[in-house]
Amino acid sequence: MTRDIQELLQQRILVLDGAMGTMIQRYGLTSADYHGERFKHHSTDQTNNMDLISLVRPDIIEEIHTQYLQAGADIVETNTFGANGITLREFDMVELTYEMNLESARIARRAVEKVMAEDPSKPRFVAGSLGPMNKMLSFSPDVNNPGYRAVTFEEVMLGYYEQVRGLMDGGVDVLLPETTFDILNLKAALFAIQKYFDETGKRVPVMASITITDAAGRTLSGQTVEAAWNSVSHAPLLSIGLNCALGPEQMRPHVEELARIAPIYVTAYPNAG
């Protein structure tokens, strides 16, 4: 599959799927739906824990993947945007990091295999989504103590490592750290990915996507597109890109700049809103 996706990129633009969270919201799930039978006595409210839906209502996630594939997507992302060892602290679900990622990858794989069985002439791929986390390494959450950090680099890296382990065991074709507003978090994700590759000997292509938060073209942590690229250019990436925050017109000049300075493939998936 690694060879296939690289060969396809030499031939044409590949289409990524769309948003997952807003699609889940269309189902009008209640708090009881999020908890399901398995977690109905969990002490922490799981409402809007989108990643948990992979465990309590896998049929919904598979249906969404299938809709995107039938609409023409070449790549579908796993329902794991917040399924890491840091963000899941909010829901007291850290111990489920591996399982959430494993099952989400399996669900996406089932959808891909089902659609490819109907039309084997067009390859489809599963990208393991690694979101930005709800904690930043570059900023202090305490304005009175700028040197304080809520998490360490090691904690962030290990939080991503467990996510990578689940995604890889679930059979993803690509790993995709995305919506990066703090490049130091992305560096921790890339470190975790490389650590997994080195320890297991298993490898898949890695795509990375950065979020520019305003028209000035800077990340939330203040880096320009060029500075962000220089910060991660050492990594063996298949592609670098931009996603979220901006619509297509506002994003275009920054994508063009990225395409000019980065000697690898470039991705763009704007915020439809």
Side-chain angles (χ1 to χ4, degrees), residues 11-145:
Q11 299 167 20
R12 64 180 177 87
I13 294 171
L14 298 188
V15 179
L16 196 63
D17 62 2
M20 175 61 75
T22 49
M23 291 292 283
I24 292 174
Q25 288 173 346
R26 291 184 180 186
Y27 287 83
L29 301 179
T30 65
S31 177
D33 293 320
Y34 277 94
H35 283 256
E37 187 65 25
R38 178 178 173 183
F39 303 105
K40 68 179 182 180
H41 299 303
H42 198 285
S43 58
T44 303
D45 184 16
Q46 298 300 315
T47 303
N48 293 326
N49 185 357
M50 301 292 184
D51 307 295
L52 187 60
I53 302 301
S54 294
L55 300 184
V56 298
R57 288 293 305 273
D59 57 305
I60 288 177
I61 305 305
E62 186 171 347
E63 185 173 86
I64 292 170
H65 287 319
T66 301
Q67 290 173 350
Y68 277 128
L69 290 164
Q70 291 175 340
D74 298 295
I75 305 170
V76 290
E77 298 180 66
T78 55
N79 179 42
T80 53
F81 187 81
N84 58 70
I86 300 297
T87 303
L88 286 176
R89 291 178 183 177
E90 179 182 344
F91 297 101
D92 294 325
M93 288 277 181
V94 174
E95 72 280 0
L96 292 174
T97 301
Y98 174 81
E99 183 183 354
M100 278 189 190
N101 286 277
L102 176 71
E103 293 305 320
S104 292
R106 286 174 172 172
I107 293 166
R109 173 60 56 203
R110 282 200 303 270
V112 162
E113 290 181 353
K114 180 176 64 178
V115 173
M116 284 186 65
E118 299 169 357
D119 179 14
S121 66
K122 180 181 178 182
R124 274 87 163 188
F125 305 94
V126 176
S129 171
L130 292 87
M133 293 193 174
N134 59 358
K135 298 286 190 294
M136 297 178 64
L137 284 167
S138 294
F139 281 117
S140 169
D142 184 356
V143 295
N144 296 312
N145 185 4

Side-chain angles (χ1 to χ4, degrees), residues 177-206:
E178 60 170 323
T179 321
T180 303
F181 49 78
D182 183 347
I183 301 300
L184 197 51
N185 280 40
L186 175 56
K187 288 169 80 73
L190 295 174
F191 189 99
I193 290 169
Q194 192 61 49
K195 174 179 167 69
Y196 177 88
F197 289 171
D198 290 344
E199 290 179 352
T200 66
K202 301 176 183 177
R203 294 179 183 273
V204 295
V206 180

